[in-house]
Amino acid sequence: MNTAFLLNVAISPYTREGVTCRFLAVITHYYLLCCFCWMGIEGFQLYLLTIRIYNTYIKHFILKLSLIGWGVPAMVVIVTSLIKSSVYGYTNNSLPQCWIKTQTHRYITISGFFGVIFLFNLIILAVVCYKIFQIKSSAPQNEVQPTRWKEVCTILALSCLLGSTWAVVFILENLREPFTLYFFSTLNSLQGFFIFLWFCAMNCPSKAKETKQEGKVTLSAAVVTISSSQ
């Protein structure tokens, strides 16, 4: 999607209403929808891992996910083209590029498409957060509890994974200020970095856990020493 967007911005001023311009608009639209669709698949995967848990085996799972992730956006683009053949072309908006020319089609196929997926992911995220705090409250008191900052990192990383960085541009779309574009671009480019920080936080043992593990090792060593002396 990023490659298609950069090619679009670089080439569109020289192509205008030609076939190349329409092709750039189609592939940019398609890959953008693919990004949204795969975010929905991530939400569904999170549902299987944390909510459903049991009986999650699905025959040809990866193949079915691939057909949905790549096929549904293709169907949307094809239907959009069939409804109106001239829907794709050169647009001279705040960012001149080859794109969807009619505002109605943009709202339905982009904002509407993303809105449905984001709403589904928000519901999944809310249920997962509820599960996280429910597990913590029901855990034994003597068990080492995860620290508050790890819980916050978990929720923030899951929200990034499920498309919260993309939601910024739709919420601030009507402002049409350069700050909005720079803020969204910076935040969205750090999506993978935020998930990386979450991965590091989740795999960094707390001091209480380290102390408990050291105690177990010391106790095991003492048992071995006593057994060998006997």
Side-chain angles (χ1 to χ4, degrees), residues 132 146-158 194-206 209 213:
I132 291 174
T147 56
R148 181 68 62 179
W149 68 272
K150 282 192 175 184
E151 294 173 355
V152 173
C153 287
T154 300
I155 295 172
L156 290 177
L158 290 176
F194 292 150
I195 298 172
F196 167 74
L197 291 180
W198 164 71
F199 180 80
C200 292
M202 292 300 99
N203 288 274
C204 178
S206 61
K209 189 174 181 179
Q213 289 177 346

Coordinates of all heavy atoms in Angstrom, one line a residue, residues 132 146-158 194-206 209 213:
I132 N -8.7 -9.4 30.6 CA -7.4 -9.2 31.3 C -7.6 -8.8 32.8 O -7.0 -9.4 33.7 CB -6.6 -8.1 30.6 CG1 -6.1 -8.6 29.2 CG2 -5.4 -7.7 31.4 CD1 -5.5 -7.6 28.4
P146 N 0.9 -9.2 37.3 CA 1.6 -8.3 36.3 C 1.4 -6.8 36.7 O 0.4 -6.4 37.3 CB 0.8 -8.6 35.0 CG -0.5 -9.1 35.4 CD -0.3 -9.8 36.7
T147 N 2.4 -6.1 36.5 CA 2.4 -4.7 36.9 C 1.4 -3.9 36.0 O 1.1 -4.3 34.9 CB 3.8 -4.1 36.8 OG1 4.3 -4.2 35.4 CG2 4.8 -4.7 37.7
R148 N 1.0 -2.7 36.6 CA 0.0 -1.9 35.9 C 0.5 -1.4 34.5 O -0.3 -1.4 33.6 CB -0.3 -0.7 36.8 CG -1.4 0.2 36.2 CD -2.7 -0.5 36.1 NE -3.2 -0.8 37.4 CZ -4.4 -1.4 37.6 NH1 -5.2 -1.8 36.6 NH2 -4.8 -1.8 38.8
W149 N 1.8 -1.1 34.4 CA 2.3 -0.6 33.2 C 2.3 -1.6 32.1 O 2.1 -1.3 30.9 CB 3.7 0.0 33.4 CG 4.8 -1.0 33.7 CD1 5.2 -1.4 34.9 CD2 5.6 -1.6 32.7 NE1 6.2 -2.4 34.8 CE2 6.5 -2.5 33.5 CE3 5.8 -1.6 31.3 CZ2 7.5 -3.3 32.8 CZ3 6.7 -2.3 30.7 CH2 7.6 -3.2 31.5
K150 N 2.5 -2.9 32.5 CA 2.4 -3.9 31.5 C 1.0 -4.1 30.9 O 0.8 -4.4 29.8 CB 2.9 -5.3 32.1 CG 4.4 -5.4 32.2 CD 4.8 -6.8 32.5 CE 6.3 -6.9 32.5 NZ 6.8 -8.3 32.7
E151 N 0.0 -3.9 31.8 CA -1.4 -4.0 31.4 C -1.7 -2.9 30.4 O -2.4 -3.0 29.4 CB -2.3 -4.0 32.6 CG -2.2 -5.2 33.5 CD -3.0 -5.0 34.7 OE1 -3.6 -3.9 34.9 OE2 -3.1 -6.0 35.5
V152 N -1.2 -1.7 30.7 CA -1.4 -0.5 29.9 C -0.7 -0.7 28.5 O -1.3 -0.5 27.4 CB -0.9 0.8 30.5 CG1 -0.9 2.0 29.6 CG2 -1.7 1.1 31.8
C153 N 0.5 -1.3 28.5 CA 1.2 -1.5 27.3 C 0.5 -2.6 26.4 O 0.4 -2.5 25.2 CB 2.6 -2.0 27.6 SG 3.8 -0.7 28.1
T154 N -0.1 -3.6 27.1 CA -0.9 -4.6 26.4 C -2.0 -4.0 25.7 O -2.3 -4.2 24.5 CB -1.3 -5.7 27.4 OG1 -0.2 -6.3 28.0 CG2 -2.1 -6.7 26.6
I155 N -2.8 -3.1 26.4 CA -4.0 -2.5 25.8 C -3.6 -1.6 24.6 O -4.2 -1.6 23.6 CB -4.8 -1.8 26.9 CG1 -5.3 -2.8 27.9 CG2 -5.9 -1.0 26.2 CD1 -6.0 -2.2 29.1
L156 N -2.5 -0.8 24.8 CA -2.1 0.2 23.8 C -1.6 -0.6 22.6 O -1.9 -0.2 21.4 CB -1.0 1.1 24.3 CG -1.5 2.1 25.4 CD1 -0.3 2.9 25.9 CD2 -2.5 3.1 24.8
A157 N -0.9 -1.7 22.8 CA -0.3 -2.4 21.6 C -1.5 -3.1 20.9 O -1.5 -3.1 19.6 CB 0.7 -3.5 22.1
L158 N -2.4 -3.7 21.6 CA -3.6 -4.3 20.9 C -4.4 -3.3 20.2 O -4.9 -3.5 19.1 CB -4.5 -5.0 22.0 CG -3.9 -6.2 22.6 CD1 -4.8 -6.8 23.7 CD2 -3.6 -7.3 21.6
F194 N 5.4 0.4 18.1 CA 4.7 0.3 19.3 C 4.4 -1.2 19.7 O 4.5 -1.6 20.8 CB 3.3 1.0 19.1 CG 3.4 2.4 19.0 CD1 2.5 3.2 18.2 CD2 4.4 3.1 19.6 CE1 2.6 4.5 18.1 CE2 4.5 4.5 19.5 CZ 3.6 5.2 18.8
I195 N 4.1 -2.0 18.7 CA 3.9 -3.5 18.9 C 5.2 -4.1 19.4 O 5.2 -5.0 20.3 CB 3.4 -4.1 17.6 CG1 2.0 -3.6 17.3 CG2 3.3 -5.7 17.8 CD1 1.5 -4.0 15.9
F196 N 6.4 -3.6 18.8 CA 7.7 -4.1 19.3 C 7.9 -3.8 20.8 O 8.4 -4.6 21.5 CB 8.8 -3.6 18.4 CG 10.2 -3.7 18.9 CD1 10.8 -5.0 18.9 CD2 10.9 -2.7 19.5 CE1 12.1 -5.2 19.4 CE2 12.1 -2.8 20.0 CZ 12.7 -4.1 19.9
L197 N 7.6 -2.6 21.2 CA 7.8 -2.2 22.6 C 6.9 -3.0 23.5 O 7.3 -3.4 24.6 CB 7.4 -0.7 22.7 CG 8.4 0.3 22.1 CD1 7.9 1.7 22.4 CD2 9.8 0.2 22.7
W198 N 5.7 -3.3 23.0 CA 4.8 -4.2 23.8 C 5.4 -5.6 23.9 O 5.3 -6.2 25.0 CB 3.4 -4.2 23.1 CG 2.5 -5.4 23.6 CD1 1.9 -5.5 24.8 CD2 2.2 -6.5 22.8 NE1 1.2 -6.6 24.9 CE2 1.4 -7.3 23.7 CE3 2.5 -7.0 21.6 CZ2 0.8 -8.5 23.3 CZ3 2.0 -8.2 21.2 CH2 1.2 -9.0 22.0
F199 N 6.0 -6.1 22.8 CA 6.6 -7.4 22.9 C 7.7 -7.5 23.9 O 7.9 -8.4 24.7 CB 7.1 -7.8 21.5 CG 7.7 -9.2 21.5 CD1 7.0 -10.3 21.4 CD2 9.1 -9.3 21.5 CE1 7.6 -11.6 21.3 CE2 9.8 -10.5 21.4 CZ 9.0 -11.6 21.4
C200 N 8.5 -6.4 23.9 CA 9.6 -6.3 24.9 C 9.1 -6.2 26.3 O 9.6 -6.8 27.2 CB 10.5 -5.1 24.5 SG 11.4 -5.2 23.0
A201 N 8.1 -5.4 26.5 CA 7.5 -5.3 27.8 C 6.9 -6.6 28.4 O 7.1 -6.9 29.5 CB 6.4 -4.2 27.8
M202 N 6.3 -7.3 27.5 CA 5.7 -8.6 27.9 C 6.7 -9.6 28.2 O 6.5 -10.5 29.0 CB 4.7 -9.1 26.8 CG 3.5 -8.3 26.6 SD 2.4 -8.1 28.0 CE 2.9 -6.5 28.6
N203 N 7.9 -9.6 27.6 CA 8.9 -10.6 27.8 C 10.0 -10.1 28.8 O 11.0 -10.8 29.0 CB 9.6 -10.9 26.5 CG 8.7 -11.7 25.6 OD1 8.6 -13.0 25.7 ND2 7.9 -11.1 24.7
C204 N 9.8 -8.9 29.4 CA 10.7 -8.4 30.4 C 10.2 -8.8 31.8 O 9.1 -8.3 32.3 CB 10.8 -6.9 30.3 SG 11.9 -6.2 31.6
P205 N 10.8 -9.7 32.5 CA 10.3 -10.2 33.8 C 10.4 -9.1 34.9 O 11.3 -8.3 34.9 CB 11.2 -11.4 34.2 CG 12.5 -11.1 33.4 CD 12.1 -10.4 32.2
S206 N 9.4 -9.0 35.7 CA 9.4 -8.1 36.8 C 10.3 -8.5 37.9 O 10.7 -9.6 38.0 CB 7.9 -7.9 37.3 OG 7.5 -9.2 37.9
K209 N 9.0 -11.3 40.1 CA 9.0 -12.6 39.4 C 10.5 -13.1 39.4 O 10.7 -14.3 39.6 CB 8.5 -12.4 38.0 CG 8.4 -13.8 37.3 CD 7.7 -13.6 35.9 CE 7.5 -14.9 35.2 NZ 6.9 -14.8 33.9
Q213 N 11.8 -16.5 41.1 CA 12.6 -17.5 40.4 C 13.9 -17.8 41.1 O 14.4 -18.9 41.1 CB 12.8 -17.0 39.0 CG 11.5 -17.0 38.1 CD 11.7 -16.5 36.8 OE1 12.7 -15.9 36.5 NE2 10.7 -16.7 35.9

